[in-house]
Each structure stands twice: as structure tokens, then as C-alpha cells.
Amino acid sequence: MLVKFLPREIRKYFRMSRRQRKHEIHQSLWFKPLAYVMAAAVLAIITLFIDMQVDLSVRASFFAFNHETTRTLVSTLIASILLLSAFTLNILLVFLTTLSSQFSPRMLQDFIATRETQHFVGLFNGSFIYVLLLFLFMNNFRQDEFVLVPLLTVFMTFSTAIIFLFFINHAIYWMQVHNITWNMRLISEEIIQKNLTEDMEKLKVVKAGDLKEELRKHAKIVKAPAAGYIQLVDFQGMVSAAQKDDIILALHERIGDFMLAGNPLFSYWGPGADKVDEEAYTKFFAFGNKETEIQDNYAAMSKLAEVAIKSINNGDPRSAINAIYQLANLMRAIDEHITFTPYLADSDKQVRVITREQHFEGALYRGFGMIRHYAKGDLPIIIEIVSALRMLAQSSNPIRHTDIWRFAENTIENVSQEIIYDIDRDLLLEKLDLLANATGNGTEYEKLKKAIGQKKA
């Protein structure tokens, strides 16, 4: 009832599922700093209590300061900490603006979500609140000498100055594109290994089995209750519910797709179809106004592709190449951890949920396809894409070789009709030869080599 009176930015968390809320809080910048502020307030109270109740001046007279000196010291250090906090905020704003304009707004989430960023901001805020509370409340106590208050205040200020240096190094580290793409890939791999494996891989089966096709022609369609991106699906809960109701569900869209209210969301059929509570099944879906990486591996590839595209447009080929290599590394992880089958089965190995089928070639297009579109006239970038595909072929399952070669072949067939420099042509053929050997497409390579030669002529 009281939720509607909260600010919209706070109110949205109460409407999310538990998992969505955890992810969004982790991506935000206010949760950990708020925890530091609360801890600083508690520490300030404890510091004043000890200084008032325990006569430390007797045991540590060298560190004892009278009331006026302590008050002057604390008031001076408040300004110092506030100045460092202002510099930190300024650096943070400049850094976020640079990331957004030169690379991709999606990268802001990765920088904000890092533990280092959140801890640094939290420490600055906590230090300021701690010293401020000491200054406000020490005047309310009749104490001739203080020991713990001046010592901890000086220590807090000294620590804040050191932390400021670490924060500058942290920001400089993140400003380097190779570190950005490396961290983006690590974050995405962690999501793939933990979330997708836990949510779907344990439920997947390769063979469809009995899909009750005789009942499928009477399938009922359930429409989306709201507009937005499909951010999260509780597959385990859906499979359990479908097993209990003895039905099979087929999803019409995949995670990460945008839907309008009223669009077909899923259909279901089976012996228990007449007794299904459709609204209960729609609650297994979570919608939002943006794409998230919780269960969508395509979102991670899109971020790396955007970095490469922005770098190409900014005349920074080395950054684009680095993003291409990290994208290939991420594709290897996808091939290693994700089974490309649409069937999710219950404990009895009966298929209960049929998802929109994903293909390895679709993942290739989502990543490298976007880059090659913007780099069509940039042959050095095309050459690096072929080189990355060769490395991917050497590290991936052999069943992916056909898709990888077909993608590379289609890419080369649609490059500019004139290859101006012989060295570009020779380097491209060299990379293609290596890819053909890795994928077992020597004959197709000779045909492609002949076609490239004709373009040159």
C-alpha cells in the first residue's frame, strides 16, 4: 500500500522478481554505498561512546586532544574528505561520458557493476558521513579530552587519500579498451557458466521424444500480458508446473526479444490442457524495458560487437581487432557450455517446454555479422574476422566447422569488388587457407581463391 508513495526508481524494485531485483541492485551504484554510509554511522556512534565512557587519555596521554583542538581538527578534515569526494565524482562523470560517447552506453553497466567501483564510491561516502557525524555530535558531550575521535578521523582521512589514488588507477585501467573488452568477456562468461547452465542446461535433452503431436493441433495460445523485453524466464518452475498439469509448452519468442502486449507468448497442449491456469504460467516470465544478460547470451555478444563497430567508426582499428578476438573467445565459451537444443524435459525425460531454437550460426551473426556489416569496405578488419574464425574453429566442436566456414565464405563473397593492394589479397588468402585447413574445406577454398583472383583482375 505504501509502495505507491515511493519514488519510481525505488518502486520498480518491488515489482521485480527476486532474481531480477538482485541483478538490478548489483548493477546499480547506490546499494553498496548505502551500506557503507550505514556502517559509518554505526562506527561514529561507537567511537563517541568509547571516548565518552572509557578514559583513554590516562592510558594514551600522548594522543589526547582537548575539545577545541579536536573540534578544529575534525572540521578541517571534513573539508578535505569532501574535496576528494568531489574530485571522485568529477572523474566518475567524465569517465562515464567517455565510455558512452566513444564506445557504447551498455558499457556503463559493466563499469558501475564492478566491485571496485562500488567499494571506492562507498568508502568515500562512508568516510565523509563518519567525520560529519563526529563533528555534529561531539559538541553535545561535555568531554575535556578526546583520544579515539581525533585518531580515527586522521586515519580515515589518510585512508581516503590513499583510496583516491587507487580509484584513479582503477579508472585509468578501465579506460584502456583491451581491459574493457577483457572484463566484458569475463563477466559474460561468468553469466553463461552459472546462470544459463543452472537454469536450462540441466533440463535440456537432444531427442524430442513424445511431443503429443496429435493434441498439438488443438493448442491454445497465451498472449503477452505486458510490453517489453523478455528478461527472465523461470524454466525450472515452468517445467515442474507443466509436469504437474501434464502439458507441453512452446515459447513463441526467445529471451531478449521485444514484445507488445497481446503478442503470442506461448502455446500449450496435452491431456491436462483444459485445466491449466494460464495466468500462473505468465508469471514465469519477467518483462522489462531493456535487454539484460541474466539469461541472454546474445546481449553479451552485442556489447562486444558495439565496441568493435564504434572503434571502426572512430578510426581505431586495434581496439576493434581486440574486441573481435574477445568475441571469438566468448563464442568458444558459448559452444562449450551451451547445448543448442530447444527441448527442456522433466525428471521423467518427458519434454515439457520447447523454446525458440538457437543455432550456432545465429550466434555468429549476432556477433561477427554486425561487425562485418559496418566493416564491409575495411578489408584489414575482414581479415581479422577470418583470423578469429580460424582460431574459433580450432577450439570449438568439429560440428561447428560447417557454420564457421559458411559464415567466412559469405563474408568474403560480399566484400568490396576491388582489392586494391596485392598484400591485402595475399594476407586474406593466407588466413582463408588456414581456416579451410582447420575446417576441412580445401576444395571450397580453391573456388573462393579463384573468385578473389577474378575480382582482382
Side-chain angles (χ1 to χ4, degrees):
M1 190 67 178
L2 298 176
V3 175
K4 63 181 181 180
F5 296 105
L6 296 174
R8 185 176 63 179
E9 291 299 317
I10 303 296
R11 192 167 60 244
K12 68 179 183 180
Y13 291 102
F14 291 91
R15 298 175 179 173
M16 297 178 180
S17 65
R18 181 179 179 182
R19 190 170 177 184
Q20 269 185 306
R21 184 162 50 248
K22 181 180 179 181
H23 177 77
E24 288 294 326
I25 289 176
H26 176 70
Q27 294 287 330
S28 66
L29 191 58
W30 60 267
F31 181 71
K32 278 192 174 68
L34 181 61
Y36 273 99
V37 168
M38 296 175 63
V42 174
L43 182 61
I45 294 174
I46 294 175
T47 302
L48 286 171
F49 178 80
I50 293 176
D51 240 353
M52 294 300 301
Q53 298 297 323
V54 181
D55 190 5
L56 296 176
S57 61
V58 177
R59 303 176 182 178
S61 57
F62 180 78
F63 298 102
F65 293 83
N66 60 42
H67 184 278
E68 188 61 29
T69 303
T70 302
R71 185 176 182 277
T72 303
L73 175 65
V74 173
S75 63
T76 303
L77 295 181
I78 285 178
S80 301
I81 294 178
L82 183 59
L83 182 61
L84 288 176
S85 299
F87 276 122
T88 302
L89 179 60
N90 185 51
I91 292 173
L92 187 61
L93 291 177
V94 170
F95 179 78
L96 294 180
T97 302
T98 303
L99 280 183
S100 180
S101 60
Q102 293 191 5
F103 299 106
S104 169
R106 298 171 186 264
M107 298 173 61
L108 302 182
Q109 296 178 349
D110 288 338
F111 178 72
I112 294 299
T114 57
R115 295 179 180 178
E116 293 82 1
T117 301
Q118 297 193 6
H119 284 306
F120 285 141
V121 176
L123 285 167
F124 282 115
N125 289 330
S127 299
F128 176 71
I129 295 299
Y130 173 77
V131 179
L132 179 63
L133 291 178
L134 287 181
F135 179 73
L136 290 177
F137 292 107
M138 65 177 294
N139 292 326
N140 297 329
F141 300 96
R142 295 182 179 179
Q143 180 81 359
D144 293 333
E145 293 184 329
F146 291 91
V147 175
L148 204 57
V149 169
L151 284 179
L152 288 184
T153 303
V154 171
F155 174 77
M156 193 70 69
T157 307
F158 178 78
S159 300
T160 304
I162 299 299
I163 292 169
F164 180 71
L165 298 178
F166 280 104
F167 178 76
I168 293 177
N169 287 326
H170 172 65
I172 293 174
Y173 173 86
W174 259 86
M175 285 291 289
Q176 302 174 54
V177 180
H178 61 275
N179 291 327
I180 293 174
T181 54
W182 180 270
N183 286 318
M184 289 171 65
R185 195 259 307 168
L186 288 180
I187 293 171
S188 300
E189 279 191 5
E190 183 179 357
I191 291 173
I192 291 171
Q193 293 173 6
K194 291 184 178 180
N195 293 354
L196 293 180
T197 302
E198 183 68 25
D199 293 340
M200 299 180 65
E201 291 301 312
K202 294 181 179 179
L203 302 172
K204 286 184 176 180
V205 291
V206 177
K207 296 182 179 181
D210 182 16
L211 295 180
K212 307 183 188 302
E213 294 291 347
E214 68 280 1
L215 299 175
R216 190 168 187 172
K217 59 184 178 181
H218 303 295
K220 299 179 180 180
I221 298 177
V222 178
K223 298 181 178 180
Y229 291 96
I230 302 177
Q231 293 182 333
L232 185 66
V233 180
D234 183 3
F235 288 107
Q236 295 185 7
M238 187 181 296
V239 168
S240 299
Q243 182 180 17
K244 182 180 179 181
D245 294 336
D246 194 15
I247 60 171
I248 298 176
L249 295 93
L251 307 189
H252 290 202
E253 303 293 342
R254 62 175 300 279
I255 296 174
D257 288 342
F258 186 85
M259 300 190 69
L260 298 177
N263 288 160
L265 181 60
F266 66 89
S267 56
Y268 66 94
W269 63 92
D274 295 334
K275 301 179 181 179
V276 169
D277 181 4
E278 296 180 354
E279 185 178 354
Y281 279 89
T282 59
K283 292 181 180 179
F284 290 122
F285 296 84
F287 295 88
N289 62 347
K290 62 180 179 181
E291 295 177 275
T292 64
E293 294 183 64
I294 305 177
Q295 290 179 327
D296 185 13
N297 53 286
Y298 282 179
M301 291 186 290
S302 295
K303 289 197 298 185
L304 285 169
E306 286 181 9
V307 174
I309 293 168
K310 281 276 192 176
S311 299
I312 293 172
N313 294 334
N314 292 334
D316 186 6
R318 295 310 308 174
S319 296
I321 292 170
N322 185 272
I324 289 170
Y325 289 159
Q326 293 303 329
L327 185 58
N329 204 350
L330 181 60
M331 287 292 300
R332 181 203 56 80
I334 290 174
D335 177 59
E336 180 180 355
H337 295 285
I338 295 180
T339 304
F340 289 87
T341 176
Y343 305 114
L344 307 182
D346 59 22
S347 55
D348 298 326
K349 301 304 178 181
Q350 167 63 51
V351 172
R352 293 298 178 184
V353 176
I354 304 174
T355 64
R356 281 284 303 275
E357 188 172 4
Q358 296 187 34
H359 301 278
F360 187 77
E361 59 183 348
L364 280 173
Y365 175 77
R366 187 65 180 263
F368 294 109
M370 296 175 63
I371 300 174
R372 75 177 180 184
H373 175 75
Y374 288 91
K376 188 174 182 179
D378 195 336
L379 193 58
I381 298 298
I382 298 296
I383 292 174
E384 295 300 335
I385 291 177
V386 175
S387 179
L389 291 174
R390 185 263 306 172
M391 291 186 287
L392 178 60
Q394 292 174 336
S395 301
S396 60
N397 193 313
I399 63 175
R400 312 297 182 201
H401 289 176
T402 301
D403 292 333
I404 293 174
W405 174 258
R406 187 183 302 136
F407 182 89
E409 186 179 37
N410 184 255
T411 300
I412 300 305
E413 289 174 348
N414 290 276
V415 297
S416 178
Q417 293 299 310
E418 292 186 1
I419 300 177
I420 301 175
Y421 302 111
D422 289 337
I423 190 172
D424 287 336
R425 175 180 177 273
D426 295 340
L427 187 57
L428 177 60
L429 290 174
E430 178 186 345
K431 299 297 183 182
L432 277 174
D433 187 25
L434 293 174
L435 176 60
N437 292 332
T439 58
N441 288 279
T443 303
E444 287 75 9
Y445 165 72
E446 293 299 330
K447 296 178 181 178
L448 201 57
K449 179 179 179 181
K450 184 178 180 180
I452 293 175
Q454 291 176 348
K455 288 183 179 182
K456 176 63 178 177

